[in-house]
Amino acid sequence: MRRRGTKAGTITIAAVMGSLVLTGCGGDGEPKGKGDASPAASTGEGSGQEQGTTAVRAAYDKTAEAESARMTVSMKMAAEGKSVTSDGEGVLDLAEGDSVMTIEAEGERLEQRVVDEILYQKAPGQKAPGGKPWIKIDLRKVAEQQGVNNQQIGDPARTAAYAKAITDKDVTEVGTEKIDGVNTTHYRVSVDVARLPGGDQMREQLGPTLPMQVWLDDEGRLRRQQIDMTVKAPASASAKPDSGAAPQQLEMTTVMQFSDFGTEVDAEAPRAEQVADMTDKVLRSGRRQS
């Protein structure tokens, strides 16, 4: 675990946690990728705004009804003047949260699977303890340590509970845009973190609001979702004694894009003898930062 793949794996874990845990939470910033935007026909107060809110709140259930999809994930993390990007593609079970993906980060290509809320990763040349090629991390245990309800991990359909916290004033229709040739409607969403499950703890790290953008197709399904977050580390974990330094901040942008709804997902865990469990190491690291 001394290779660069370790750092890339950490980034990918953050992408999984950030994307699945925070799906349906909120948006701001400019859209990424190609698209031809045009002014929205309905913005501001009134029935148009209400319709937009209804569409955004229903999008997660409508997407989950497709059962599965092909997914791409693009992520950028920046801290202390350094940035790392990763790009992934694969297939996702929208009901159970299982997935099979390949991730490119820091010049390395990782294999990643999520099966029954367990994250598995394999990088070329990576040797985990015992010389095993795969590592695994129990996302439920990590979520529990972070104070996140484990029902929000690995099951995007259940994250619709977040969407129910969205009110009319949280949603703004931006316009229409084509994504991979599909007509979509683009919305900006900003949600009061205090209204979310575990909101008090999330507010300390993420601030008062969560920004998100979503692009919905004519059937009301998610085609693209962009989350822009500034995650603040606890002062005790980032500031040196007597230094007066402000808490460290991690800037993170995650863009998920969905297509080919109904595609087959064959997610299987690696054989047990090929896997090293790194969950306790991740949990110990989390406790040192709290």
Side-chain angles (χ1 to χ4, degrees):
M1 296 297 293
R2 291 187 294 271
R3 292 175 53 83
R4 288 187 296 124
T6 303
K7 184 175 180 182
T10 302
I11 291 166
T12 306
I13 292 166
V16 170
M17 298 298 290
S19 298
L20 295 187
V21 175
L22 298 178
T23 296
C25 291
D28 194 23
E30 291 301 321
K32 287 191 173 184
K34 298 179 180 179
D36 302 318
S38 62
S42 300
T43 58
E45 303 295 329
S47 60
Q49 182 111 24
E50 293 172 359
Q51 290 172 3
T53 303
T54 299
V56 172
R57 292 178 64 180
Y60 302 95
D61 284 336
K62 288 183 177 295
T63 304
E65 288 172 2
E67 297 186 352
S68 63
R70 189 162 299 280
M71 177 179 67
T72 63
V73 179
S74 177
M75 182 175 165
K76 180 176 181 180
M77 296 175 64
E80 298 181 339
K82 299 179 180 179
S83 65
V84 178
T85 60
S86 65
D87 295 284
E89 62 179 353
V91 290
L92 170 68
D93 184 320
L94 291 162
E96 299 298 329
D98 291 354
S99 62
V100 179
M101 300 192 70
T102 57
I103 310 289
E104 292 188 4
E106 295 194 291
E108 293 195 0
R109 188 176 182 87
L110 311 177
E111 293 182 52
Q112 175 175 295
R113 304 175 192 174
V114 176
V115 183
D116 294 332
E117 301 178 30
I118 305 294
L119 172 69
Y120 299 91
Q121 287 186 335
K122 177 184 177 182
Q126 171 180 272
K127 292 298 180 182
K132 298 178 180 180
W134 289 87
I135 66 169
K136 78 172 185 179
I137 297 170
D138 189 325
L139 297 178
R140 290 166 293 193
K141 292 181 179 179
V142 175
E144 289 169 2
Q145 184 187 70
Q146 295 178 349
V148 178
N149 184 332
N150 64 8
Q151 288 187 342
Q152 298 159 11
I153 303 297
D155 189 344
R158 290 178 182 171
T159 58
Y162 281 120
K164 293 177 181 177
I166 298 172
T167 64
D168 292 344
K169 66 183 180 64
D170 299 322
V171 178
T172 301
E173 184 176 335
V174 177
T176 59
E177 188 172 341
K178 283 188 179 293
I179 295 178
D180 292 336
V182 176
N183 293 325
T184 69
T185 303
H186 175 193
Y187 298 94
R188 296 182 190 272
V189 186
S190 181
V191 175
D192 184 349
V193 172
R195 298 204 304 265
L196 303 175
D200 291 341
Q201 181 172 347
M202 293 175 67
R203 188 181 179 93
E204 290 181 6
Q205 290 189 298
L206 302 178
T209 60
L210 277 171
M212 187 177 72
Q213 299 179 77
V214 296
W215 288 256
L216 309 184
D217 64 18
D218 291 341
E219 296 184 44
R221 302 173 301 194
L222 282 168
R223 286 288 176 162
R224 180 186 292 163
Q225 173 179 273
Q226 177 172 330
I227 301 174
D228 300 284
M229 293 188 295
T230 299
V231 182
K232 298 179 181 178
S236 59
S238 56
K240 297 179 180 179
D242 303 322
S243 68
Q248 293 176 334
Q249 291 190 163
L250 174 67
E251 304 288 341
M252 183 166 67
T253 294
T254 304
V255 180
M256 302 177 70
Q257 197 154 303
F258 302 92
S259 63
D260 196 13
F261 291 107
T263 192
E264 182 178 355
V265 179
D266 185 14
E268 294 185 359
R271 296 197 304 272
E273 65 269 19
Q274 296 184 329
V275 180
D277 192 340
M278 304 298 289
T279 304
D280 287 343
K281 182 176 181 180
V282 172
L283 295 176
R284 287 195 301 270
S285 176
R287 285 193 290 269
R288 286 197 298 269
Q289 295 178 10
S290 62

